[in-house]
Amino acid sequence: MKIKHKHLLTTESTSLYIKENFDLVGDFSFVSTDYQFNGKGRNDRKWISPIGENLLFSFSIKDPELVSRYQDLSVASAYVIASFLKEKFDINASYKWPNDLYVDDKKISGILLETHMDEENIDGLIIGVGLNVNQILFNQEELIYPATSIKCLKRRDINIESIRNDLFIKFVSYFLSIKDGDTKYITFAKENNYLLDKTVYIDIEGEETPVVVKDINDDGSLKILYQDEYYDIISGEISLTKKE
């Protein structure tokens, strides 16, 4: 499978690069970089990564059927990365809703899905991925949660270029299978729910409120227990600790 791929030595953000060139890129066009000086995670948090140590990339989706199912694709992306880690490195990752992967209570990968608007309609998606590969030193003061990498877990250097194209191919292949009805990503999320039965904090009417995570639903939403009643959350900020 031939992948449309552009590699940049440095850029502000791979997702921003695709956004600014969206009319010029095709479906499943990948942009990777050695270093991005304004990489972002959810809620405009910085994604900090040393030069050349991790796998940083974004890709475009223009297929109308996949675009219409954008709420599924953060979970699906997590499944692709988790299954890749298992196949290539025998690493078992858990899914932290809505867009992170954890190994041994440490974050190894983050996903950021953004919609692209054509006037008032969503006409495409941009999915950004950061996967910790060779980084072994993490400035925990700059991180919300502890982090790890493939090298930390396997105790050897990983050739990023050698795994990058394989992961790109896996993304394309699996996303196309979703159009044919594949739902393994939901099974993965349910069976590897990092937050299951944990007390977490969400914003309810401006207050950080403790709730208990009970499940991930078939539509990718999160089922929580609050004051003896169940609620479904489509999107939002989930914190394991209350902010002081």
Side-chain angles (χ1 to χ4, degrees):
M1 181 183 297
K2 186 172 177 59
I3 298 295
K4 293 168 282 189
H5 172 219
K6 182 179 184 68
H7 184 74
L8 307 170
L9 293 180
T10 184
T11 186
E12 182 174 354
S13 158
T14 55
S15 290
L16 180 61
Y17 183 92
I18 292 178
K19 186 181 299 183
E20 292 178 340
N21 296 278
F22 200 76
D23 291 339
L24 302 177
V25 302
D27 198 21
F28 289 112
S29 290
F30 289 77
V31 175
S32 61
T33 189
D34 291 336
Y35 179 72
Q36 50 187 10
F37 54 86
N38 196 23
K40 292 182 179 179
R42 283 176 58 83
N43 299 306
D44 290 331
R45 293 197 185 101
K46 291 267 188 178
W47 181 276
I48 301 165
S49 176
I51 297 174
E53 292 189 5
N54 298 318
L55 182 50
L56 310 171
F57 66 92
S58 300
F59 62 99
S60 57
I61 295 179
K62 294 189 171 183
D63 182 291
E65 184 176 343
L66 288 174
V67 170
S68 70
R69 300 180 59 175
Y70 69 92
Q71 290 182 325
D72 297 335
L73 298 190
S74 282
V75 184
S77 296
Y79 169 72
V80 170
I81 300 166
S83 58
F84 180 79
L85 289 172
K86 179 62 177 176
E87 293 166 6
K88 288 285 186 179
F89 302 103
D90 196 28
I91 292 173
N92 294 307
S94 298
Y95 174 58
K96 178 180 173 290
W97 190 93
N99 63 337
D100 293 331
L101 286 173
Y102 273 55
V103 179
D104 298 332
D105 294 318
K106 297 178 180 180
K107 181 175 175 177
I108 194 169
S109 181
I111 301 150
L112 181 64
L113 187 149
E114 300 176 79
T115 57
H116 185 274
M117 304 295 292
D118 178 16
E119 296 181 352
E120 296 182 355
N121 300 311
I122 299 174
D123 68 341
L125 307 173
I126 302 169
I127 298 179
V129 173
L131 175 62
N132 294 336
V133 179
N134 286 319
Q135 186 174 357
I136 58 173
L137 298 176
F138 297 90
N139 186 345
Q140 296 298 344
E141 293 181 356
E142 297 177 340
L143 300 174
I144 296 176
Y145 302 117
T148 190
S149 68
I150 298 174
K151 183 176 179 177
C152 287
L153 296 165
K154 306 309 292 186
R155 302 187 182 280
R156 61 183 173 89
D157 285 319
I158 307 299
N159 186 315
I160 293 177
E161 187 174 349
S162 70
I163 67 172
R164 185 170 56 207
N165 195 61
D166 289 345
L167 184 54
F168 292 173
I169 290 172
K170 192 170 184 67
F171 261 107
V172 177
S173 175
Y174 187 70
F175 274 35
L176 292 178
S177 76
I178 292 174
K179 294 175 60 176
D180 295 327
D182 190 303
T183 58
K184 287 194 292 289
Y185 63 97
I186 290 295
T187 303
F188 159 77
K190 287 176 173 290
E191 293 180 350
N192 299 274
N193 183 358
Y194 180 76
L195 298 176
L196 183 64
D197 292 328
K198 286 184 170 70
T199 297
V200 300
Y201 294 86
I202 65 171
D203 187 291
I204 297 179
E205 297 181 351
E207 294 286 336
E208 279 191 288
T209 305
V211 302
V212 178
V213 174
K214 301 309 294 181
D215 199 4
I216 292 174
N217 300 310
D218 289 346
D219 63 358
S221 61
L222 192 70
K223 184 175 291 296
I224 63 167
L225 180 65
Y226 171 61
Q227 294 184 346
D228 297 324
E229 292 191 24
Y230 290 96
Y231 298 88
D232 295 333
I233 299 176
I234 297 174
S235 63
E237 181 68 6
I238 296 289
S239 176
L240 286 165
T241 58
K242 189 172 184 177
K243 301 182 183 69
E244 298 299 334

